Each structure stands twice: as C-alpha cells, then as structure tokens.
Amino acid sequence: MFGPVFLALPLSAPLAIGTASPFLQDEPVAPSAGAVEAEPDAEGESEAADDAAPKKTSGSRFKDPTDGMFDLTLNFSKGGFVPIPFLITEPAVGFGGGAAALFIHERNVEDPWYVEDTSAVNAPPNATVVMGAGTENGTWLAAVGHQGVWKDDTIRYMGALATGQINLDLFVGDTGFGYGLETVVIFQDIRFRVGDTDLFLGANYRFASSEANFRDVPPELFPAIEQNDAGAGLVAQWDTRDNYFTPHTGQDIELQGTFWNEAFGGDANFGAFQGKGRAYFPIADDHTLGVRVQVELAGDDAPFYLLPSIRLRGVPFARYQGTEVGSTEAEFRYAFTPRWEGLAFGGVGTARDSVLPNSGAIWAGGLGFRYLLARPFGISAGLDLAVGPEQGVIYIAVGSGL
C-alpha cells in the first residue's frame, strides 16, 4: 500500500518518511553573530560539548531554512492530516484523478529539519490513508489503509480495505475483450524482524469477493464470473535500503508464496509465487544505478483477473498476462543539484501461459525527473515519460520507479 508508486494506477500515492540520500546530508548551522564560546573546563573539554546538535530553526512552512528552497517537511513531520489530490494517467483505465487524506503519525523529533537518528527514519512510514479515485472509462476505487511500524521497527504491519469497479481489457493476442470487475478486497500483512538483522519474516491474508462481467461479448464465450478468492501467504524480506522512497544504496529482496484455497474462505484452489529484488548502487556522489528483477507465477486454476502481468513503465497494466511472468528494469539517476535529479530507465518483460498467447519480449523505457520535496526525509516526486510497444505514457511518480 505504502511505498514508491506511480499515480498511473487507480491507487493513491501515499507519502513516507525515509532518510535523505548520502550526498544530501544536512550542513551544520553557523552560530549567530555575537555568540560566545563556552570556556573549557579543567579537563580541557567545552561545557557546550553536549550541545553540538543543531538547534531548532524557524522559517516559512514551505521553505527549507538551510537552502531556501520549496520544501514540504513541516507538512509531513508534525503529524496530522495531509490532503493529497492526484491524477491518474494509466492507459489501461484512462485519464482520471482522485484525492487522499493521509494521516501521518507524529514523529518525536525536536527539529524536523535535522535527522539525528537515521535508524529511526529508515523504516516505512507510520501512516493511515483514506482515498477515492475515478477515471474516464468508469473505473472507480475507494480504500482505507494503515501501515504501522512498532517496537523500534521490529514489527511491520499493513492492512487495507478497498472496494470499486475496475474496467479493463483481457487481451488474447492483439484483441482486447472489455470487462468490468466489481470487487471488495481485504488485505492483512505482518512481518517480524529476525534478531538484529535486516531480515523480516511474516505472513499475510487476502480476501476478494469479485464479479467479472464482459461487455459486448457472447456469454458462452466469456461467461460472467462471481467468485470469492482467499489466500494465505508466507513472506521473507531482506531490506537494507537507505531510503524508503528514493534509495541510493542497499537492497530490497522479497520472496512470497500465496496459497489460495477453499479452507481460507475462497472458491478456488491454486498457488502463486512472487520474487522481487531491487538493488541500488551509488556510482558517485551524484549518480545512482538501480536494478529490479521480478518473477511471478500462478497456478493454472487462477482466475484471469488474478493472473500476473508484465510490470514496466510504458506498458499498460494487465496488457500482457500469463501464469509465468518475468521482467527486469534498470534506472540511472543523476543529481544535477541537491534538489533536482534526472533519470533514464528501460527494461524488458515476458509473459507465458498455457491458454493465452505468449507475449514474447516486451521492451519499454523513457526519461524522467525528480524534485526533492522533503529534504531531511528524502521524499522526491516528478514525472516519467515512458514509451512501450503501444504508446507513450506520462506518469506522475513518487520516489524511485523500480
């Protein structure tokens, strides 16, 4: 739910708090004019040695006092509701928009402009979101979710309840068959840190009550489907990223197996697996290379609307589906200034299935930029222009696109 996401899907783009990049660390504040240095004590140590941390600063609510640039740090650090309007540009559902009310739980820091305990802000955000969205093809979605980080980031929780009408196309080769999916989804996920390591182990549960109806298609060809799908999953995650939204170093590797079964409240029995690895390499102080590799598998009895699809910027959502789907994407970012980054990205994916035609190699790539919206926490946002096999797409992006 929370994390680096594109506002190209009918989902909200929640914000998070993470550490700043290594080359965007805070500069010390110079002492004010006329300040008097403390005299050293008998052991030659300054009486002010314990007061070396930067003092609380003041200034505009939307301006960083260290560089004078536009910054939203104060809107995210003190807790409370933050309204977030957004646009949807995902070609699979058409142009649209929505709004989210994000409640950020207060962080206990004396001065939000300075990050002294980096381990405390490396964790995912502790936040609650309520959102609604709609697009020009009649798709709509309403959801509420919460992400909690408990006991000094030894427990991570995520829960969501969503309902909506999603209008998509099921492609058989180059022919798309339009359908509407009315659904109610419940999702629960909890993970526990293993000792003092960066490894998390956990479990999740998901339930969806769905009704899929095809448009302008004879029912004997694609009959309507009304079905409950329920699955329990086991997950392992290795997370050493230096920033939750826009990492510059570290890895995020996640393996997850889900068992969809009647015993959990569903109507079908099948298995699914997802393996995803993202790694970030600081080539220089202002260059970052990110790489993602992702593999998704689903059993032959999986309903078509739960089949995985190729996930690349420039490829419409659910355009290429199958029971065996893989993709890889690389992203190169260059920081022109401490606030502005340009990026280039590209990748390839493939989808295989025993019924649907195999996709072959699907290539996509493009260019983009990011602006650092909250310097101490590394929250960045911008635009990506991606080109795939069918068309070009503009994405409104928060954080890394991998």
Side-chain angles (χ1 to χ4, degrees), residues 17 63 76 120 131-132 136 172 182 193 198-199 204 213 241 245 247 279 324-325 335 345 354 381 390:
I17 296 176
K63 183 180 292 186
F76 303 135
M131 60 80 62
E136 60 183 344
V172 180
E182 298 181 21
R193 186 184 294 273
D198 294 305
L199 176 65
N204 54 49
N213 292 279
R241 292 171 295 174
F245 259 111
E324 303 173 9
V325 177
F345 55 88
S354 59
E390 284 85 15

Side-chain angles (χ1 to χ4, degrees), residues 160-223:
L161 171 64
T163 184
Q165 165 88 26
I166 313 300
N167 296 320
L168 294 169
D169 290 312
L170 173 65
F171 281 89
V172 180
D174 293 329
T175 303
F177 298 90
Y179 69 92
L181 181 68
E182 298 181 21
T183 186
V184 176
V185 179
I186 299 173
F187 177 74
Q188 298 288 307
D189 183 287
I190 190 165
R191 305 178 186 188
F192 300 87
R193 186 184 294 273
V194 178
D196 294 328
T197 71
D198 294 305
L199 176 65
F200 288 84
L201 299 178
N204 54 49
Y205 175 80
R206 62 199 73 196
F207 174 86
S209 179
S210 305
E211 181 178 349
N213 292 279
F214 283 86
R215 303 184 299 271
D216 304 322
V217 178
E220 59 271 15
L221 180 61
F222 287 118

Side-chain angles (χ1 to χ4, degrees), residues 238-311:
W238 175 266
D239 189 359
T240 63
R241 292 171 295 174
D242 66 330
N243 184 281
Y244 187 70
F245 259 111
T246 314
H248 291 80
T249 184
Q251 304 86 41
D252 178 26
I253 301 171
E254 184 174 306
L255 303 177
Q256 183 168 192
T258 304
F259 308 93
W260 300 85
N261 198 278
E262 296 176 16
F264 304 128
D267 297 327
N269 302 314
F270 62 95
F273 170 81
Q274 181 186 78
K276 179 171 64 176
R278 295 178 292 181
Y280 301 89
F281 307 95
I283 301 175
D285 285 348
D286 49 7
H287 299 70
T288 302
L289 175 65
V291 179
R292 174 183 61 85
V293 177
Q294 186 164 337
V295 175
E296 295 182 81
L297 309 174
D300 290 335
D301 292 332
F304 71 90
Y305 51 82
L306 287 182
L307 288 176
S309 64
I310 294 176
R311 304 190 186 190

Side-chain angles (χ1 to χ4, degrees), residues 262-394:
E262 296 176 16
F264 304 128
D267 297 327
N269 302 314
F270 62 95
F273 170 81
Q274 181 186 78
K276 179 171 64 176
R278 295 178 292 181
Y280 301 89
F281 307 95
I283 301 175
D285 285 348
D286 49 7
H287 299 70
T288 302
L289 175 65
V291 179
R292 174 183 61 85
V293 177
Q294 186 164 337
V295 175
E296 295 182 81
L297 309 174
D300 290 335
D301 292 332
F304 71 90
Y305 51 82
L306 287 182
L307 288 176
S309 64
I310 294 176
R311 304 190 186 190
L312 292 172
R313 280 170 281 185
V315 176
F317 178 72
R319 172 62 179 86
Y320 302 97
Q321 293 180 276
T323 55
E324 303 173 9
V325 177
S327 63
T328 183
E329 187 176 24
E331 178 181 271
F332 177 78
R333 302 200 308 266
Y334 174 71
F336 297 99
T337 73
R339 289 280 178 176
W340 290 95
E341 279 189 321
L343 58 92
F345 55 88
V348 61
T350 184
R352 296 172 56 87
D353 192 88
S354 59
V355 177
L356 298 175
N358 297 334
S359 69
I362 304 299
W363 295 85
L367 302 172
F369 72 88
R370 300 289 186 274
Y371 178 79
L372 192 61
L373 282 176
R375 176 190 53 79
F377 309 135
I379 302 175
S380 63
L383 297 176
D384 287 342
L385 173 60
V387 178
E390 284 85 15
Q391 59 187 349
V393 185
I394 296 177

Side-chain angles (χ1 to χ4, degrees), residues 89-172:
T89 59
E90 168 57 50
V93 295
F95 184 79
L102 178 67
F103 180 80
I104 300 175
H105 300 264
E106 184 175 2
R107 299 176 59 251
N108 295 320
V109 293
E110 180 181 357
D111 186 353
W113 295 109
Y114 295 93
V115 179
E116 299 175 8
D117 182 5
T118 57
S119 63
V121 295
N122 273 345
N126 202 344
T128 303
V129 64
V130 178
M131 60 80 62
T135 72
E136 60 183 344
N137 80 341
T139 290
W140 65 271
L141 182 72
V144 57
H146 175 75
Q147 182 165 272
V149 180
W150 306 326
K151 294 186 177 297
D152 298 323
D153 195 25
T154 59
I155 302 175
R156 296 181 179 182
Y157 165 81
M158 184 184 299
L161 171 64
T163 184
Q165 165 88 26
I166 313 300
N167 296 320
L168 294 169
D169 290 312
L170 173 65
F171 281 89
V172 180

